[in-house]
């Protein structure tokens, strides 16, 4: 199915590049607009660059700038949702869902991509994924977009089965690497891994980057 507008909802600057930049590039290649709704500025992250160039006070400024560069590299729009990093799990899900629903009703995407709650490793990922699913469920059926959930936990396929959508991002690998590289404060470890192990087929961590996998979310009626 061809889409008219794709919205990606994740909590941190860099989730879009690591998790979905191949998929995003695929849609951009078809001239389909993509908007990233970024939950926080990732200001509580432990990585401060390598060598270190940020501190706790300046990290949000760097990450905001990195996000801007990444979205420019991917040729997509983005909006900052303005939540605080590492606190999304304490927000009222209903409130976050209402906030997201308002934006989705304005953008009117035909596809929404978010994290799979419970299989997304980080509490912020789980919480925003759950709120995004709630937001879509709360929309009127005639404007409700398709919904894909991305699991990233180790061995998630054992419990969830084979993902419905598997994008081999090899054709978009350079774009994906360029997007990841813009997140300088976060990506240096990953980049050295890639540079040291160019044969990414042999490397599990890179394998995880090469295939972007999603489950089609079935809303309960
Ligand atoms: Zn994240």
């Amino acid at each position: 199915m061809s889409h008219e507008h794709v919205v990606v909802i994740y909590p941190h600057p860099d989730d879009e590049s690591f998790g979905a930049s191949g998929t995003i590039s695929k849609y951009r290649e078809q001239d389909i607009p993509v908007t990233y709704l970024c939950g926080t500025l990732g200001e509580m992250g432990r990585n401060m660059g390598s060598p270190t160039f940020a501190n706790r006070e300046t990290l949000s400024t760097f990450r905001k700038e990195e996000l801007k560069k990444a979205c420019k590299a991917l040729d997509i729009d983005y909006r900052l949702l303005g939540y605080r990093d590492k606190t999304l799990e304490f927000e009222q899900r209903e409130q976050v869902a209402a906030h997201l629903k308002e934006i989705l009703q304005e953008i009117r995407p035909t596809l929404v991509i978010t994290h799979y709650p419970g299989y997304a490793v980080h509490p912020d990922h789980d919480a925003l994924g759950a709120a995004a699913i709630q937001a879509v469920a709360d929309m009127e059926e005639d404007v409700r977009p398709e919904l894909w959930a991305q699991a990233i936990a180790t061995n998630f396929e054992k419990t969830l089965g084979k993902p419905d959508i598997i994008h081999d991002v090899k054709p978009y690998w350079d774009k994906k690497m360029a997007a990841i590289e813009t997140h300088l404060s976060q990506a240096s470890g990953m980049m050295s891994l890639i540079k040291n192990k160019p044969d990414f087929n042999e490397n599990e961590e890179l394998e995880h980057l090469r295939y972007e996998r999603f489950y089609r979310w079935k809303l309960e009626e």
Side-chain angles (χ1 to χ4, degrees):
M1 178 192 159
S2 173
H3 282 289
E4 284 162 35
H5 198 137
V6 177
V7 165
V8 177
I9 307 176
Y10 293 138
H12 310 117
D14 81 3
D15 289 332
E16 81 299 333
S17 293
F18 284 108
S21 53
T23 302
I24 289 169
S25 301
K26 191 177 152 98
Y27 286 122
R28 289 303 298 130
E29 194 180 66
Q30 299 165 45
D31 238 5
I32 296 163
V34 177
T35 304
Y36 179 34
L37 306 183
C38 185
T40 79
L41 286 174
E43 69 274 14
M44 297 304 285
R46 275 171 302 172
N47 297 325
M48 303 281 179
S50 169
T52 305
F53 57 80
N55 60 44
R56 181 61 60 221
E57 282 66 46
T58 60
L59 186 61
S60 66
T61 314
F62 280 110
R63 295 201 70 179
K64 199 171 174 177
E65 206 49 42
E66 290 168 0
L67 176 66
K68 195 170 152 187
K69 284 184 189 151
C71 292
K72 193 160 184 247
L74 293 169
D75 191 26
I76 64 173
D77 290 325
Y78 68 98
R79 293 196 198 185
L80 300 170
L81 298 176
Y83 294 100
R84 287 193 62 77
D85 191 21
K86 297 216 162 118
T87 66
L88 265 163
E89 62 181 312
F90 308 114
E91 298 282 342
Q92 291 289 322
R93 182 187 300 173
E94 294 295 326
Q95 273 179 23
V96 180
H99 180 193
L100 291 171
K101 183 184 160 191
E102 204 178 290
I103 300 170
L104 293 177
Q105 277 172 334
E106 183 201 322
I107 300 178
R108 303 193 72 143
T110 50
L111 171 64
V112 166
I113 295 175
T114 193
H115 283 126
Y116 198 124
Y119 293 90
V121 177
H122 187 297
D124 276 351
H125 294 181
D126 288 334
L128 193 59
I133 289 167
Q134 176 82 56
V136 171
D138 288 347
M139 291 173 79
E140 296 293 335
E141 220 172 313
D142 57 329
V143 292
R144 203 182 281 157
E146 197 177 323
L147 182 57
W148 294 357
Q150 182 174 44
I152 51 178
T154 318
N155 294 329
F156 64 83
E157 287 189 36
K158 272 201 179 122
T159 331
L160 298 176
K162 199 171 147 58
D164 301 303
I165 297 112
I166 302 173
H167 286 154
D168 180 352
V169 305
K170 204 173 179 192
Y172 309 102
W173 189 252
D174 291 345
K175 277 215 168 257
K176 179 157 183 156
M177 288 305 108
I180 289 175
E181 259 187 309
T182 62
H183 294 288
L184 253 192
S185 68
Q186 306 303 305
S188 41
M190 183 58 70
M191 294 322 287
S192 61
L193 179 72
I194 291 161
K195 276 165 190 151
N196 294 337
K197 302 219 178 198
D199 186 5
F200 55 83
N201 288 316
E202 301 296 311
N203 186 292
E204 213 178 306
E205 202 162 347
L206 297 182
E207 186 81 357
H208 176 79
L209 285 175
R210 175 169 168 190
Y211 296 100
E212 295 176 356
R213 295 165 289 187
F214 309 93
Y215 293 89
R216 229 180 274 282
W217 195 271
K218 288 161 203 83
L219 294 167
E220 288 151 42
E221 292 304 319

